[in-house]
Amino acid sequence: MWINTPDRDVISCLQRYFLLQSDIDLIDWKGTIQEIHCQTFSESRIDEKFSSNLTLHFLTPTTFYQRGNYYPLPELKRLFSSAIKAYEICRGKRVEWENLEPLIHQIRIEHLVVATERVSFGEFNVIGFKGKITMNIKALPKEEQLLVWRLVAQGSLMGFGYKTAWGLGQTLLDPLEDAQAFFRTPGASKKSPGVFGNAKTRMG
């Protein structure tokens, strides 16, 4: 269970709740939280993990909503438009689109694997994509590389695109986080069904 928020009070409240009420009942699924872990991604930590080669893993269906239609593709302009919003919310710093757009044209996509997936919200369906995209930003000057890295990092922590609060657009950025460890089969899978191995919180 990943809970991403820039608000420490939200994290604290949820952790206290889970410690007091470890059983989860989601109507068609029941589980028990056995562990709680919290990661804080400060600006300095994000900068320390900087890399000019980065991979975004789209863990849940991601989509963009424009003019009444869903756009289930990892188009860079839409990704960075979403990242700007997350960056402004979490860091309180504004990035002007006219300054960022020329940088996006210099980003090289080295690998892309995505597949669409339909998500039902009862009264309506959403079409999104899952998969991964690997980008190279070495063509940019060093200062601009760092800006792009920060934007992608913040976007990955808060989610990209439409209805992130409903669980869509959740991503993992490698090497900000250890993708191999994340995708490794957890030990909890050996336990009996209905036991939740880990509950993790990520704070932007």
Side-chain angles (χ1 to χ4, degrees):
M1 179 186 300
W2 294 94
I3 303 167
N4 304 338
T5 174
D7 192 325
R8 290 179 179 272
D9 290 337
V10 171
I11 290 291
S12 178
C13 179
L14 287 169
Q15 286 180 325
R16 287 197 301 269
Y17 176 83
F18 288 137
L19 287 171
L20 294 173
Q21 313 233 1
S22 59
D23 290 336
I24 299 176
D25 187 348
L26 298 179
I27 301 176
D28 59 347
W29 183 90
K30 294 182 179 181
T32 300
I33 292 179
Q34 295 182 326
E35 298 178 31
I36 296 176
H37 303 272
C38 181
Q39 297 185 81
T40 300
F41 291 88
S42 63
E43 288 187 78
S44 59
R45 180 178 177 184
I46 289 174
D47 287 354
E48 287 171 4
K49 291 285 188 175
F50 166 79
S51 175
S52 57
N53 286 286
L54 45 131
T55 299
L56 273 173
H57 297 267
F58 298 93
L59 307 176
T60 63
T62 303
T63 193
F64 303 94
Y65 193 70
Q66 187 173 6
R67 299 186 185 91
N69 291 312
Y70 299 111
Y71 190 86
L73 288 172
E75 201 273 326
L76 291 186
K77 288 185 178 180
R78 287 178 168 84
L79 282 173
F80 278 95
S81 177
S82 181
I84 283 178
K85 296 174 184 176
Y87 188 78
E88 290 178 358
I89 290 171
C90 296
R91 298 302 177 204
K93 300 175 181 177
R94 185 174 181 81
V95 177
E96 300 297 336
W97 179 253
E98 55 267 26
N99 296 329
L100 179 62
E101 187 174 16
L103 306 182
I104 295 173
H105 296 307
Q106 300 181 61
I107 297 175
R108 187 172 68 200
I109 297 176
E110 296 191 335
H111 185 70
L112 175 65
V113 178
V114 294
T116 56
E117 183 173 313
R118 187 181 299 270
V119 182
S120 174
F121 286 107
E123 296 183 357
F124 65 96
N125 295 323
V126 173
I127 300 175
F129 67 88
K130 293 172 65 176
K132 66 179 181 179
I133 181 172
T134 299
M135 295 177 279
N136 185 314
I137 58 175
K138 290 182 179 178
L140 298 172
K142 191 66 177 182
E143 186 175 343
E144 279 71 20
Q145 287 185 36
L146 188 55
L147 172 61
V148 168
W149 166 259
R150 289 170 176 169
L151 289 169
V152 175
Q154 204 64 67
S156 74
L157 293 172
M158 298 304 296
F160 288 97
Y162 182 65
K163 289 197 178 299
T164 55
W166 291 28
L168 299 185
Q170 301 305 300
T171 63
L172 181 147
L173 174 60
D174 188 6
L176 179 62
E177 299 183 77
D178 188 345
Q180 288 187 344
F182 182 88
F183 291 108
R184 189 179 301 127
T185 302
S189 63
K190 300 177 182 178
K191 300 176 183 177
S192 59
V195 177
F196 210 4
N198 294 281
K200 299 184 179 180
T201 57
R202 295 193 299 179
M203 184 181 300

